[in-house]
Structure formats: structure tokens, C-alpha cells
């Protein structure tokens, strides 16, 4: 008989996955995590730092007087700011709630600088496929934070209305999904309604439950940028926490 022994290189994964009691503990922790998943995407008094002020997008108008040089300059400026934003997020990490106020301020300032070069109607762009989280200032699961662990966060758009916010741990062994629906309110804002969460381990769904929550997300920037030679769609939003999300082309 052939005996196969599986040992994960990461000791945390090995400990959690190979011990039945700890798998049960992990599930309990994920269920407790559910309440924090929606929190990061919904407005609250504790998170609203902008005093209720509306963001004003300053898209560069396209007129007959707009020169090729100006267009090229705007593109270069957007690419430079996006590159600096990515570098800064890479240094600080994707979880803004673990940063100092000054560090979060640096990221917010770079993000706000991009708004000048945003597409004219960022909330109305067509979104398809999978988009990856670069940074989130929101506390809890929506940023990928689960205690000392950091999960990979993504958005998958199913159609013009439905999408999934997803957090994956241990290379996808553990998945937490928040199903939601979106509605465009105007050129810069969308309303998001949260429907349900689903938890799965090793591809097997272990829990699904209804959640309630509604939030208005406001776009600071949306547009195609080139970062390190890679073209991508970059989106920067306030939920009211800052979210930076990208989809490589």
C-alpha cells in the first residue's frame, strides 16, 4: 500500500488544515468575521472622516482646443501618480487600518491627486471579470484582514448588476464571498446592496447566510493606466473608506 503524507510548507496552514478541531475553530472564526465584512463597505459615523463633503471629480474636458501634447501630458501624469500610488501601497501593505493616520494620509493624498485625470463618468464604466484589491482603509474582513492573517481580496462582476466581493486565504483553500448588487446613481456614485455571504473550505460550501446592508460608493478615479509596463483599469473609491482596485488588461 502506498502511504501519502501531506505537509504544508507554511506551518500555519499545516496546523489549521491537518487538525480537525482547529478546522472547526477556523469556521467559527469565519462566522464571527461575517459582521465585519459588510462594515467596511457601508457608511458609519465612526468611519466618515470627510464631514459629509461630496467629492468633486475634475475630469479634463475634451474640446477642439485640447492639443495632443496636453493629452499626452495628462496620460503621463496619471501613469506617474498611479505608479507612485502602487509603490506606496506595496510598501505599506493592503490593510490601511493597520497604518498610522499619517501613512493613510499619504495614500489618500496620492489617490485624490488622480481625480483630476479620471474618466468623465467613472461610475458608468462597463465592469467585467475579476479585479484585485490593492489597498483598503476599511477595518475588518473587507480589507482581507483576519486576525494576524491577510487574505487576497477581489471583485468578480457577473453582469451589470450582480458582483461578488471575495476574500481567499491559504491560496484559495478558504474562501469568503459577499454577494452584492449595484445601481448607478449618477456619474460618480453607485448604490450597493449586500445580499448574502458564503463560506467554503477546500471548495466545499459550509455556510451561507443572508446579510443586510446598503452603501453608496463614490468614485475618485477610474481610468486606464500603465504601471511598470502593465496596462490596467484602475479604480479608486470611497465607501467611505478608501479602496484601490485594479484589473490588468
Amino acid at each position: 500500500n502506498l502511504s501519502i503524507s501531506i505537509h504544508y510548507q507554511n506551518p500555519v496552514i499545516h496546523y489549521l488544515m491537518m487538525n480537525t478541531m482547529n478546522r472547526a475553530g477556523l469556521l467559527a472564526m469565519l462566522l464571527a468575521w461575517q459582521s465585519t465584512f459588510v462594515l467596511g463597505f457601508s457608511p458609519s459615523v465612526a468611519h466618515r472622516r470627510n464631514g459629509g463633503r461630496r467629492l468633486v471629480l475634475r475630469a479634463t474636458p475634451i474640446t477642439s482646443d485640447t492639443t495632443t501634447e496636453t493629452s499626452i501630458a495628462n496620460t503621463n501624469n496619471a501613469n506617474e501618480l498611479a505608479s507612485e500610488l502602487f509603490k506606496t501601497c506595496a510598501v505599506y501593505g493592503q490593510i490601511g487600518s493597520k497604518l498610522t493616520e499619517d501613512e493613510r494620509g499619504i495614500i489618500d493624498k496620492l489617490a485624490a491627486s488622480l481625480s483630476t485625470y479620471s474618466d468623465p463618468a467613472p461610475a458608468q464604466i462597463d465592469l467585467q471579470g475579476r479585479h484585485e484589491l490593492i489597498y483598503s482603509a476599511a477595518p475588518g474582513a473587507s480589507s482581507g484582514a483576519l486576525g494576524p492573517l491577510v487574505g487576497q481580496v477581489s471583485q468578480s462582476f457577473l453582469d451589470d448588476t450582480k458582483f461578488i466581493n471575495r476574500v481567499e486565504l491559504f491560496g484559495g483553500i478558504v474562501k469568503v464571498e459577499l454577494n452584492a448588487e449595484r445601481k448607478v446613481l449618477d456619474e460618480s456614485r453607485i448604490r450597493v446592496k449586500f445580499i448574502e455571504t458564503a463560506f467554503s473550505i477546500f471548495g466545499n460550501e459550509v455556510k451561507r447566510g443572508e446579510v443586510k446592508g446598503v452603501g453608496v460608493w463614490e468614485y475618485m478615479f477610474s481610468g486606464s493606466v500603465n504601471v511598470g509596463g502593465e496596462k490596467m483599469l484602475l479604480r479608486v473609491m470611497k465607501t467611505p473608506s478608501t479602496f484601490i482596485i485594479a484589473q490588468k488588461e
Side-chain angles (χ1 to χ4, degrees), residues 15 17 19 30 54 67 89 99 109 123 133 168 200 238 242 247:
Y15 181 69
M17 296 298 110
N19 186 299
L30 290 174
R54 289 287 303 279
T67 64
C89 291
L99 304 180
K109 185 177 180 179
L133 177 74
E168 299 176 78
S200 63
K238 288 284 189 179
T242 300
Q247 182 188 43

Side-chain angles (χ1 to χ4, degrees), residues 33 37 141 144 151-153 165-169 174-177:
W33 199 29
F37 206 172
Q152 181 182 25
V153 184
N165 291 309
R166 181 182 297 108
V167 180
E168 299 176 78
L169 296 166
V174 177
K175 292 182 182 181
V176 185
E177 296 183 335

Side-chain angles (χ1 to χ4, degrees), residues 191-207:
R191 176 179 288 118
V192 176
K193 179 181 180 182
F194 307 105
I195 309 298
E196 64 180 3
T197 54
F199 305 90
S200 63
I201 301 177
F202 286 113
N204 299 309
E205 186 175 301
V206 294
K207 179 70 174 181

Side-chain angles (χ1 to χ4, degrees), residues 6-238:
I6 300 177
H7 179 80
Y8 295 94
Q9 291 183 348
N10 188 316
V12 176
I13 300 178
H14 180 74
Y15 181 69
L16 290 173
M17 296 298 110
M18 301 307 293
N19 186 299
T20 302
M21 292 301 294
N22 281 306
R23 286 202 301 268
L26 176 62
L27 177 57
M29 185 165 51
L30 290 174
L31 294 177
W33 199 29
Q34 174 180 348
S35 63
T36 71
F37 206 172
V38 177
L39 179 64
F41 296 117
S42 304
S44 69
V45 174
H47 298 150
R48 189 178 293 114
R49 296 190 178 94
N50 61 6
R53 293 176 296 173
R54 289 287 303 279
L55 293 171
V56 178
L57 295 175
R58 295 175 294 160
T60 302
I62 300 176
T63 68
S64 58
D65 296 329
T66 301
T67 64
T68 301
E69 290 79 7
T70 300
S71 179
I72 293 175
N74 288 341
T75 298
N76 290 340
N77 289 340
N79 289 341
E80 289 177 5
L81 286 170
S83 297
E84 186 63 27
L85 183 61
F86 269 66
K87 290 178 183 178
T88 304
C89 291
V91 171
Y92 291 151
Q94 74 184 45
I95 303 175
S97 61
K98 294 184 178 181
L99 304 180
T100 66
E101 186 173 347
D102 287 343
E103 289 169 339
R104 286 193 296 269
I106 291 172
I107 293 175
D108 283 343
K109 185 177 180 179
L110 284 169
S113 297
L114 269 170
S115 65
T116 301
Y117 308 103
S118 176
D119 290 341
Q124 298 174 0
I125 62 173
D126 182 34
L127 297 174
Q128 300 178 0
R130 181 181 172 109
H131 301 237
E132 306 290 341
L133 177 74
I134 306 302
Y135 169 83
S136 167
S142 57
S143 65
L146 177 57
L149 305 177
V150 179
Q152 181 182 25
V153 184
S154 64
Q155 288 184 336
S156 293
F157 292 89
L158 308 180
D159 54 34
D160 291 341
T161 301
K162 298 178 182 178
F163 69 101
I164 300 172
N165 291 309
R166 181 182 297 108
V167 180
E168 299 176 78
L169 296 166
F170 314 128
I173 291 175
V174 177
K175 292 182 182 181
V176 185
E177 296 183 335
L178 173 61
N179 293 271
E181 296 179 350
R182 61 194 175 105
K183 179 181 180 180
V184 175
L185 299 178
D186 52 35
E187 292 184 344
S188 64
R189 297 181 302 149
I190 61 173
R191 176 179 288 118
V192 176
K193 179 181 180 182
F194 307 105
I195 309 298
E196 64 180 3
T197 54
F199 305 90
S200 63
I201 301 177
F202 286 113
N204 299 309
E205 186 175 301
V206 294
K207 179 70 174 181
R208 181 177 291 269
E210 180 182 359
V211 294
K212 294 182 179 180
V214 177
V216 175
W217 299 0
E218 186 156 13
Y219 276 82
M220 298 175 67
F221 174 86
S222 178
S224 179
V225 296
N226 190 309
V227 177
E230 288 189 288
K231 291 187 65 177
M232 62 186 70
L233 171 64
L234 177 63
R235 293 180 293 139
V236 180
M237 296 175 291
K238 288 284 189 179

